[in-house]
Amino acid sequence: MIRINENYLKLQSSYLFVEIAKRVSVYQQENPEADIIRLGIGDVTRALPPACIQAFSQGVKEMAADATFRGYGPEQGYDFLRDKIAANDYQVRGADISSDEIFVSDGSKCDSGNIQELFAGDIRLAIPDPVYPVYLDTNVMAGRTGEFADGRYDKILYLDSLPENGFVPNLPAQPVDLIYLCFPNNPTGASISRDTLKLWVDYARENKALILYDAAYQAFIRDQALPRSIFEIEGAREVAIEFRSFSKTAGFTGTRCAFTVVPKTCMAYDGNGQKHSLHALWNRRHSTKFNGVSYPVQRAAEAVYSPEGQAQVQELVDYYLNNAGLIREEMAALGFEFAGGENSPYIWVNCRRDAWEFFDLLLKKAGVVTTPGPGFGKCGEGFIRISAFNSYANVETAMTRIREALGAGL
């Protein structure tokens, strides 16, 4: 008989954003006239930059003529895009990354979930708490996490991210093999300093560990002292893989384009202690299971690096950061403690009560959707995440509604 992968049965409840959508749907069915403002899921709301649209349209036109039509492209991405990424995102900041170390894909979510296929089933994992659910759930599916009890899996080393440490976890107290880091952080909005990131790189080098570094929100960094890439840190090429996306940078959430950087000097080991190139392994996996991002989409992504594209992307990011600033002001005025919103589009608010209860109250009394912290881990209890991805007018309205609801004794 056909059998299932029973590790899927260890997954806890619904995927976070599916559960949120379900609750919102039930509320809307019961209140069809309700005007809902969504500040929950991190989905952009503004149109693609004009430079990207122009390049996208030109790419489609090329696909309409036999002379310029393209079929299967290189699985790793076209050189015209990889060259731009290497030069503008890395080399200009002093990071030694070449274009052939970049793998273009259809999303960082996919890559950060799929990368774990390269590693042994019994490696020791260190995962922050709270955390983007994909890191944990894909390892549950792979059978690395053990049994679930009291809100956690017994084979995971959880790295608590708390107000006491500025939501930047401390180094593991014991050796681990694989470490997940995300900065600017989703969900807390926290950023990491260059010196602190260097401690993590040094730890990985000393313990022959690997860091999976999610930098999907690097475009929101305005503090020039903060690193945008782990590869700005000396020694990171040997112990890190980085994920980046055009989704939040240029509004590609519905267009789908991202990339993963796997340096050729980044190694992992077999059971006999022999080194193997993770670049070669990921290239094999990528080529086997992925046929590449479409040509017009890659042309649109290339346009991000044009002078016009850079200015337009800057304006988009500034717009969402302006929203975040308004949310920060309102939360402060209401007396809430929070993190994020300065170098990040997320504001992590201590709601001073059960987070799902607060989510439901904001939904039903203010018509505002947020994200409950427990969906990101045990340390998320008592917090909600507010996203700055919406129109400024909607954010203003949402903050007014929350203020009035709280004033009414919410």
Side-chain angles (χ1 to χ4, degrees):
M1 62 182 177
I2 183 65
R3 296 178 59 204
I4 64 168
N5 176 355
E6 295 186 22
N7 292 307
Y8 276 66
L9 303 179
K10 297 177 183 178
L11 292 166
Q12 297 304 299
S13 68
S14 301
Y15 179 64
L16 171 60
F17 297 109
V18 174
E19 178 63 24
I20 291 172
K22 184 190 302 182
R23 294 191 184 210
V24 174
S25 177
V26 169
Y27 176 71
Q28 286 185 310
Q29 289 174 12
E30 295 174 349
N31 303 272
E33 303 303 318
D35 176 27
I36 303 297
I37 298 177
R38 299 174 187 272
L39 300 179
I41 189 170
D43 193 3
V44 296
T45 56
R46 297 191 64 196
L48 292 171
C52 297
I53 290 295
Q54 183 177 357
F56 203 169
S57 299
Q58 180 60 38
V60 172
K61 289 179 182 178
E62 291 179 31
M63 299 297 279
D66 289 346
T68 52
F69 172 80
R70 288 170 173 79
Y72 291 123
E75 294 94 346
Q76 299 81 2
Y78 285 98
D79 286 342
F80 62 75
L81 177 55
R82 298 167 86 195
D83 289 345
K84 291 289 198 315
I85 292 170
N88 291 277
D89 284 333
Y90 294 99
Q91 293 165 8
V92 73
R93 297 186 63 85
D96 181 19
I97 296 297
S98 61
S99 60
D100 60 355
E101 294 175 313
I102 294 164
F103 296 81
V104 178
S105 75
D106 59 354
S108 288
K109 179 179 182 179
C110 303
D111 285 356
S112 61
N114 292 331
I115 197 75
Q116 53 80 28
E117 293 182 21
L118 303 187
F119 311 118
D122 59 352
I123 57 172
R124 294 162 294 179
L125 295 171
I127 297 181
D129 181 356
V131 74
Y132 182 45
V134 171
Y135 310 155
L136 181 61
D137 286 354
T138 52
N139 279 287
V140 174
M141 295 171 182
R144 294 191 182 92
T145 58
E147 299 301 322
F148 187 82
D150 192 28
R152 288 183 165 178
Y153 292 92
D154 60 10
K155 291 186 179 180
I156 297 292
L157 176 62
Y158 289 88
L159 305 171
D160 291 352
S161 300
L162 304 164
E164 292 78 13
N165 57 25
F167 301 103
V168 178
N170 298 323
L171 294 174
Q174 61 196 67
V176 296
D177 303 309
L178 186 64
I179 302 162
Y180 287 81
L181 294 178
C182 173
F183 291 103
N185 186 259
N186 178 16
T188 68
S191 55
I192 192 169
S193 71
R194 193 174 298 273
D195 289 344
T196 301
L197 189 53
K198 179 66 162 60
L199 294 176
W200 283 96
V201 169
D202 291 345
Y203 173 92
R205 290 169 63 88
E206 291 167 7
N207 290 278
K208 294 184 177 179
L210 179 73
I211 298 172
L212 299 180
Y213 194 76
D214 187 345
Y217 298 94
Q218 57 79 29
F220 290 84
I221 294 174
R222 289 294 176 264
D223 184 345
Q224 294 304 309
L226 298 174
R228 290 198 172 204
S229 167
I230 195 170
F231 298 121
E232 295 174 34
I233 306 301
E234 182 182 0
R237 279 186 53 89
E238 286 72 47
V239 294
I241 290 173
E242 183 168 284
F243 307 102
R244 287 211 192 177
S245 173
F246 294 100
S247 287
K248 308 306 192 297
T249 301
F252 276 52
T253 54
T255 310
R256 309 311 302 150
C257 194
F259 58 92
T260 293
V261 181
V262 188
K264 293 180 180 178
T265 50
C266 188
M267 300 290 165
Y269 304 85
D270 63 23
N272 296 318
Q274 297 298 308
K275 289 183 179 180
H276 295 271
S277 166
L278 285 173
H279 181 278
L281 292 176
W282 182 244
N283 186 60
R284 184 69 172 87
R285 191 265 173 207
H286 201 72
S287 301
T288 300
K289 293 191 174 185
F290 188 63
N291 263 344
V293 174
S294 74
Y295 172 76
V297 169
Q298 290 193 61
R299 280 298 188 192
E302 179 195 21
V304 166
Y305 299 100
S306 67
E308 299 82 4
Q310 289 287 280
Q312 292 159 11
V313 165
Q314 179 85 14
E315 190 274 330
L316 278 177
V317 173
D318 286 346
Y319 183 91
Y320 293 126
L321 283 173
N322 192 41
N323 289 351
L326 175 59
I327 297 169
R328 284 174 55 87
E329 290 175 10
E330 292 292 339
M331 291 300 105
L334 290 168
F336 288 101
E337 296 179 348
F338 56 86
E342 290 182 312
N343 295 291
S344 165
Y346 298 127
I347 298 86
W348 186 244
V349 181
N350 183 345
C351 57
R352 304 191 294 257
R353 67 187 79 187
D354 178 85
W356 278 105
E357 174 191 346
F358 196 59
F359 167 88
D360 286 334
L361 288 171
L362 289 181
L363 173 62
K364 296 173 182 179
K365 300 299 183 181
V368 176
V369 177
T370 58
T371 307
F376 299 102
K378 194 172 182 178
C379 289
E381 181 53 65
F383 290 85
I384 59 165
R385 190 192 74 177
I386 303 179
S387 168
F389 292 115
N390 212 308
S391 71
Y392 188 80
N394 279 346
V395 172
E396 278 189 311
T397 300
M399 293 302 105
T400 299
R401 289 184 189 175
I402 291 174
R403 189 187 325 118
E404 292 173 349
L406 287 168
L410 183 89

